[in-house]
Amino acid sequence: MAFRTPRQNAQGMGSAGYGTGHWWMQRITSIALIPLTLLFVFPFGQALGESHAAVLALYSSPWHALVAVLFIGVTAHHLMSGLQVVIEDYVHSKGWRTGMLLANTMICVALGAAGIFSVLRIAFSA
Amino acid sequence: MADVNRGDRPLSPHLLIYRPQITSMLSIVHRVTGVGLFVGFVLGVWWFFAAAAGPEYFELVDWIVTSWIGNLVMLGCCWALWYHFCNGIRHLFWDAGYGFELETVTKTGYAVLIASGVLTVLTVIVMLASGGSDEAAANGTAAEPAVRTASVASTPTGADI
């Protein structure tokens, strides 16, 4: 038995079928990425091109590992929602669109998981 | 139907008919850098994965990422990241309802271009400075104790610690 009125089911959902959640998550991840980018980029840039031992030494520090994990996780989400909008804007064929949106979700989640797993492995094995 | 006027109606202006303006160009570049940064993210995650996998695999990936073409891609990604960062902040101000006046939009647009260039140069300087640290490491160990004793001597409470 449906307890919700039809109006309640429609309210705040918009024509896309869901609410402002996607837009709002983009803003939240944007704001989070301002400090995270500033904290992540410079140590990462310094580690790039260094020896394997130097890289392990840097990311075995809990501080740098935590910053890297947060940066990679939030970036993966931000990248996924951004690419989703681009695909929705430019890919009009239903089949291609669904396929690319699926691929986008899977690739971005996989990249985020791979990045976080790698940093944690470095951090915990040192 | 009653569509007698077909072909003679005014068309909605197409994107290509507009004269390029700083506002539209920066907006397009924001999207292009966002999509382009996918490449940078893939390379970065691959590099972390290789570092976690072991020294042999790391050597291969590090060689690719820091080859001349890898460096070029990373430099492009560096600028793209700072551009997207600065213009993203501009967008957040718009979302909050500020900075919509045409004059302000133009000014902040040029500010984004300058700031992203400055941040890119700064990042490259920081990277190059650390690149020299390998050779400077030997001298650094000699210099460090001297600095440390100097700071202890200048602090009266140094003896208590």
Side-chain angles (χ1 to χ4, degrees), chain A residues 27 45 52 89-90 118 121, chain B residues 31 49 51-52 81 95 127 130:
Chain A
R27 309 307 122 170
H52 186 236
D89 277 357
Y90 302 131
S118 303
R121 184 153 194 252
Chain B
R31 195 162 257 214
F49 189 80
L81 180 69
D95 292 335
M127 285 177 76
S130 80

Side-chain angles (χ1 to χ4, degrees), chain B residues 82-122:
Chain B
W82 287 128
Y83 176 86
H84 203 85
F85 178 92
C86 296
N87 204 46
I89 293 171
R90 189 163 164 248
H91 267 280
L92 286 172
F93 273 101
W94 288 334
D95 292 335
Y98 301 105
F100 284 115
E101 296 75 22
L102 266 182
E103 200 189 329
T104 316
V105 170
T106 310
K107 268 187 197 162
T108 52
Y110 282 112
V112 161
L113 283 177
I114 294 165
S116 61
V118 168
L119 282 164
T120 307
V121 171
L122 184 72

Side-chain angles (χ1 to χ4, degrees), chain B residues 66-77:
Chain B
T66 58
S67 65
W68 71 267
I69 190 143
N71 276 336
L72 202 65
V73 171
M74 288 312 261
L75 181 67
C77 285

Side-chain angles (χ1 to χ4, degrees), chain A residues 44 48 111, chain B residues 37-50 61 64-65 69-74 77:
Chain A
F44 173 77
L48 207 63
L111 281 172
Chain B
L37 280 168
F38 177 77
V39 177
F41 192 60
V42 169
L43 283 176
V45 167
W46 192 28
W47 184 83
F48 270 113
F49 189 80
V61 176
I64 294 170
V65 174
I69 190 143
N71 276 336
L72 202 65
V73 171
M74 288 312 261
C77 285

